[in-house]
């Protein structure tokens, strides 16, 4: 099965469509098409009050988005620097549609009816960000243009369907930003149109919550009137006024009889309807939510999320001239010990003190920060930082103040000051002269079983990696200016035994899985 994607620029009017770009043929077996990245702006889109979609219509639009996604992925792969133009025309085999969506006797007429609906329908997108970076609270857009079947003069064999998408729909699909991940074949199991709308919206909310947490926990999501508009469209205002929530759920959509059982094909949950508050509370267990995680945390995420629990050092004695601390000895046997010790030192050195120097506050909009009860607080708002802001601050401090904070921590006796560590500390902050490496400067060097662990800042990025090297002589060599720019990282690997597999010591940090948390 295959489908074609035309990228074309609209000039003067829709009827003046000129297909100037080359045709991209994308071949895809139906059984391999399953990952649908549906833009959140579409999930939260509100249809007009006169629109009445059935379950088949929703299946068709999800199929069309899947086809558009696959075509644009192929465009990205074939031409890495290409971007979608104003209008993107997609052609696909009708056999492909029959295999993946609908093989009933009147499938072709049903598909055509759905396409005609979409061609005449506008959707109001919420919180849409366009290709110029502008954010729209509301963006009204036509779903598709110019749908039709193409006669190949082969008696319905290999017949194709053509659909055109505007840039507003195409851009978020191409950019792969702000989307919710669905298993398309599972999504097809839903038979009720309201089960589809409830499930997609809840899935969007759950994925957003879970991806911003380290540990997957039990969750409750309350849907209120503003959320119901995403499920029912603009006609919700009329429905709630004429019927009330009880009649909408019990009579209009048969929520308990049809919607809930259909949704439970894909996710387990309990629910409670609050009629007086016009809301529904959905309750989910952590073990049922792990499947929805699409972003897995790195060590900085772990440090930010568990900032409170990381600080376990206790002060055991204090007088005018001396403080003594009981150290957390578990750090040496845990993953990310270096970052954890850094966070440990932060909580003590900056307790009830401003963290940034005056010349650094401009990097954070003029704000500064303090630590109270092992929590970062904004000096401007006097409120705790959100997880994302806490991660940003931790990253900045780790990249720019590691040596200073470690030095202060050693003075206070909360960072072990062994002779070996003193020698390794001489590498901290040193710059790499070879511009062909992705390494800008060393943050820390620590001894481990494989040799030495090196945490370094990535060149031209506010980010870091941790890699491994077998001996310090190799590290010294890497810090020297290079006479031959073509030299690669593999020139520095200790290869005394040619049978040994080379150490990829500057690869990305280990990949985390759910079992790690």
């Amino acid at each position: 099965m295959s489908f074609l994607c035309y990228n074309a620029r609209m000039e003067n009017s829709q009827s003046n469509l000129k297909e100037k770009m080359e045709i991209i043929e994308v071949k895809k077996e139906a059984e391999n098409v399953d990952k649908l990245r549906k833009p959140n702006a579409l999930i939260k889109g509100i249809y007009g009050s006169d629109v009445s979609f059935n379950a088949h219509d929703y299946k068709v639009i999800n199929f069309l988005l899947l086809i558009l996604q696959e075509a644009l992925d192929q465009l990205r792969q074939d031409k890495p620097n290409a971007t979608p133009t104003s209008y993107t025309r997609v052609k696909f085999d009708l056999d492909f549609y029959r295999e993946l969506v609908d093989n009933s006797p009147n499938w072709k007429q049903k598909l055509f009816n759905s396409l005609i609906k979409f061609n005449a329908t506008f959707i109001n997108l919420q919180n849409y960000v366009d290709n110029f970076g502008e954010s729209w609270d509301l963006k009204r857009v036509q779903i598709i243009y110019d749908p039709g079947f193409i006669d190949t003069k082969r008696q319905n064999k290999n017949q194709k369907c053509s659909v055109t998408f505007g840039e507003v729909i195409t851009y978020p699909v191409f950019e792969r930003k702000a989307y919710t991940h669905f298993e398309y074949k599972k999504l097809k199991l839903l038979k009720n149109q309201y089960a589809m709308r409830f499930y997609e919206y809840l899935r969007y909310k759950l994925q957003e919550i879970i991806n911003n947490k380290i540990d997957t926990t039990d969750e409750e999501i309350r849907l209120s009137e503003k959320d119901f508009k995403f499920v029912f469209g603009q006609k919700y205002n009329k429905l709630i006024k004429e019927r009330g929530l009880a009649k909408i759920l019990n009579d209009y959509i048969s929520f308990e009889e049809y919607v809930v059982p259909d949704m439970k094909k894909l996710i387990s949950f309990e629910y409670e309807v609050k009629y007086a508050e016009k809301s529904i509370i959905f309750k989910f267990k952590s073990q049922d939510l792990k499947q929805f995680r699409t972003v897995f945390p790195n060590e900085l995420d772990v440090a930010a999320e568990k900032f409170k629990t990381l600080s376990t050092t206790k002060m055991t004695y204090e007088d005018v001239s001396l403080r003594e601390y009981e150290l957390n000895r578990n750090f040496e046997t845990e993953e990310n010990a270096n970052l954890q010790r850094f966070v440990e030192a932060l909580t003590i050195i900056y307790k009830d003190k401003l963290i940034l120097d005056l010349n650094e506050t401009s990097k954070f909009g003029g704000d500064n920060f303090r630590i109270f009860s092992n929590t970062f607080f904004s000096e401007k708002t006097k409120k705790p930082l959100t997880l994302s802001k806490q991660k940003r601050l931790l990253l900045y401090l780790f990249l720019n103040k590691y040596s200073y904070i470690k030095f202060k921590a050693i003075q206070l006796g909360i960072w072990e000051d062994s002779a070996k560590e003193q020698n390794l500390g001489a590498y901290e902050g040193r710059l790499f002269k070879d511009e062909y490496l992705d390494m800008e400067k060393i943050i820390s060097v620590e001894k481990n079983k494989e040799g030495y662990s090196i945490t370094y800042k990535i060149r031209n990025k506010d980010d870091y990696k941790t890699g491994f090297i077998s001996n310090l002589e190799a590290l010294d060599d890497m810090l020297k200016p290079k006479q031959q720019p073509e030299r690669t990282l593999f020139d520095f690997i200790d290869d005394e035994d040619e049978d040994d597999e080379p150490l990829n010591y500057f690869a990305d940090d280990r990949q985390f899985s759910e079992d790690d948390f």
Side-chain angles (χ1 to χ4, degrees):
M1 305 301 170
S2 67
F3 53 92
L4 306 177
C5 173
Y6 295 78
N7 231 332
R9 175 70 63 183
M10 182 70 73
E11 296 181 359
N12 300 324
S13 69
Q14 183 175 319
S15 61
N16 197 26
L17 184 66
K18 296 181 179 180
E19 298 169 353
K20 293 184 176 180
M21 311 263 316
E22 67 178 298
I23 299 173
I24 304 169
E25 182 172 359
V26 183
K27 295 181 179 180
K28 199 82 173 181
E29 294 299 327
E31 60 268 19
N32 295 328
V33 178
D34 194 39
K35 306 297 184 182
L36 173 61
R37 304 185 302 269
K38 191 166 186 176
N40 294 337
L42 279 175
I43 295 175
K44 295 187 294 180
I46 299 177
Y47 296 99
S49 57
D50 57 338
V51 176
S52 180
F53 289 154
N54 56 36
H56 180 267
D57 296 328
Y58 286 121
K59 288 185 177 182
V60 171
I61 194 62
N62 282 334
F63 169 78
L64 294 178
L65 288 170
L66 185 73
I67 295 298
L68 175 64
Q69 167 190 301
E70 294 297 324
L72 293 175
D73 285 352
Q74 185 65 58
L75 174 66
R76 183 191 291 271
Q77 181 178 341
D78 293 344
K79 294 185 176 182
N81 297 323
T83 56
T85 52
S86 297
Y87 289 81
T88 300
R89 187 181 178 196
V90 178
K91 290 184 179 182
F92 57 88
D93 290 348
L94 288 178
D95 284 343
F96 183 81
Y97 169 82
R98 290 179 64 187
E99 185 175 352
L100 205 59
V101 182
D102 182 11
N103 198 26
S104 62
N106 60 339
W107 64 270
K108 194 172 182 180
Q109 185 61 51
K110 288 165 62 180
L111 170 60
F112 187 74
N113 291 342
S114 293
L115 293 175
I116 293 302
K117 280 186 186 180
F118 294 136
N119 187 59
T121 299
F122 284 82
I123 183 172
N124 295 318
L125 303 182
Q126 310 289 308
N127 306 120
Y128 177 81
V129 179
D130 64 22
N131 55 330
F132 299 104
E134 289 188 287
S135 181
W136 299 71
D137 292 335
L138 188 66
K139 182 78 171 176
R140 189 169 185 263
V141 61
Q142 187 171 333
I143 299 178
I144 62 172
Y145 302 86
D146 298 337
F149 298 145
I150 299 173
D151 183 7
T152 58
K153 299 180 180 180
R154 294 183 183 179
Q155 298 178 345
N156 288 334
K157 292 184 179 180
N158 294 324
Q159 228 182 3
K160 298 185 184 297
C161 177
S162 172
V163 177
T164 300
F165 293 88
E167 189 176 42
V168 174
I169 300 292
T170 302
Y171 176 73
V173 176
F174 179 78
E175 288 297 319
R176 306 178 187 177
K177 293 180 180 178
Y179 67 86
T180 298
H181 174 271
F182 294 95
E183 297 82 14
Y184 178 74
K185 291 178 182 177
K186 289 184 179 180
L187 204 57
K188 290 196 305 176
L189 297 176
L190 299 177
K191 305 297 183 185
N192 182 282
Q193 64 264 40
Y194 293 105
M196 293 177 181
R197 295 295 288 168
F198 271 107
Y199 176 77
E200 286 190 9
Y201 188 66
L202 285 170
R203 175 87 177 237
Y204 147 70
K205 301 280 282 186
L206 286 169
Q207 182 174 296
E208 191 175 59
I209 292 170
I210 294 167
N211 282 342
N212 282 285
K213 285 187 173 182
I214 299 302
D215 300 313
T216 306
T217 58
D218 294 352
E219 299 292 346
E220 288 189 2
I221 293 180
R222 179 189 290 267
L223 299 189
S224 58
E225 288 198 292
K226 64 180 179 64
D227 303 296
F228 292 148
K229 291 179 181 179
F230 300 132
V231 176
F232 295 96
Q234 288 182 350
K235 63 184 175 183
Y236 173 76
N237 293 331
K238 183 178 180 180
L239 288 171
I240 196 67
K241 184 178 180 179
E242 294 179 350
R243 302 171 183 250
L245 185 60
K247 287 187 177 180
I248 291 176
L249 295 181
N250 299 329
D251 301 335
Y252 185 71
I253 68 172
S254 301
F255 185 74
E256 185 173 359
E257 184 178 0
Y258 294 114
V259 177
V260 170
D262 207 26
M263 290 173 63
K264 285 190 173 182
K265 295 175 184 176
L266 302 186
I267 184 172
S268 298
F269 63 91
E270 301 296 329
Y271 72 96
E272 181 181 359
V273 181
K274 300 283 189 179
Y275 292 108
E277 301 171 12
K278 298 179 182 177
S279 65
I280 307 174
I281 301 174
F282 291 88
K283 303 175 183 179
F284 305 91
K285 294 294 184 182
S286 60
Q287 62 267 24
D288 299 316
L289 299 180
K290 291 182 178 181
Q291 60 177 313
F292 299 143
R293 182 183 289 279
T294 59
V295 176
F296 294 92
N298 58 32
E299 64 176 20
L300 188 66
D301 296 316
V302 176
E305 174 73 15
K306 301 191 173 184
F307 185 81
K308 292 182 181 181
T309 58
L310 284 176
S311 182
T312 56
T313 295
K314 297 179 180 179
M315 186 168 63
T316 57
Y317 177 80
E318 180 180 24
D319 62 21
V320 176
S321 60
L322 179 65
R323 288 179 181 175
E324 292 182 357
Y325 295 88
E326 178 182 330
L327 298 179
N328 179 357
R329 300 296 176 179
N330 292 328
F331 281 171
E332 296 307 320
T333 59
E334 295 179 359
E335 285 284 349
N336 312 319
N338 201 33
L339 183 58
Q340 292 186 27
R341 284 197 298 180
F342 178 77
V343 173
E344 176 80 7
L346 275 178
T347 62
I348 296 172
I349 295 171
Y350 290 105
K351 183 179 180 181
D352 197 20
K353 293 180 181 179
L354 290 174
I355 296 175
L356 301 178
D357 296 334
L358 186 61
N359 62 344
E360 295 176 301
T361 58
S362 61
K363 300 179 184 298
F364 295 87
D367 201 1
N368 211 330
F369 310 96
R370 296 178 186 267
I371 297 174
F372 295 106
S373 301
N374 296 338
T375 303
F376 282 119
F377 279 80
S378 164
E379 187 70 5
K380 277 186 177 180
T381 66
K382 309 300 181 186
K383 295 180 179 179
L385 298 190
T386 62
L387 178 61
S388 60
K389 289 183 179 179
Q390 187 165 281
K391 285 167 57 178
R392 183 181 168 218
L393 178 59
L394 271 176
L395 178 60
Y396 174 80
L397 295 173
F398 191 62
L399 293 178
N400 297 281
K401 291 196 149 189
Y402 179 88
S403 297
Y404 171 76
I405 290 170
K406 178 181 175 182
F407 171 75
K408 296 294 290 185
I410 290 174
Q411 285 186 324
L412 292 173
I414 58 176
W415 198 305
E416 292 185 2
D417 187 20
S418 66
K420 181 186 298 182
E421 194 164 84
Q422 277 187 327
N423 292 335
L424 296 179
Y427 287 98
E428 293 169 9
R430 291 188 62 182
L431 301 176
F432 290 89
K433 307 296 184 181
D434 188 351
E435 63 182 22
Y436 288 87
L437 299 178
D438 73 338
M439 309 167 72
E440 182 176 311
K441 71 174 181 179
I442 295 175
I443 297 174
S444 68
V445 180
E446 292 197 347
K447 187 78 174 72
N448 59 33
K449 294 179 181 179
E450 289 80 13
Y452 296 89
S453 171
I454 303 172
T455 301
Y456 61 94
K457 182 181 181 298
I458 301 175
R459 190 176 299 279
N460 300 323
K461 290 185 180 180
D462 289 331
D463 203 356
Y464 69 95
K465 291 182 181 179
T466 298
F468 304 94
I469 198 165
S470 58
N471 57 72
L472 293 179
E473 289 76 11
L475 179 58
D476 291 333
D477 191 23
M478 293 175 68
L479 290 166
K480 296 176 183 177
K482 297 297 177 291
Q483 300 300 321
Q484 298 178 340
E486 67 273 13
R487 199 172 187 188
T488 67
L489 289 173
F490 295 102
D491 295 318
F492 303 111
I493 297 174
D494 183 7
D495 56 356
E496 293 179 359
D497 186 350
E498 294 183 355
D499 293 330
D500 289 343
E501 184 178 352
L503 290 174
N504 186 11
Y505 50 85
F506 294 116
D508 287 341
D509 298 341
R510 61 184 289 266
Q511 297 295 312
F512 287 84
S513 68
E514 286 292 332
D515 297 335
D516 291 307
F517 305 101

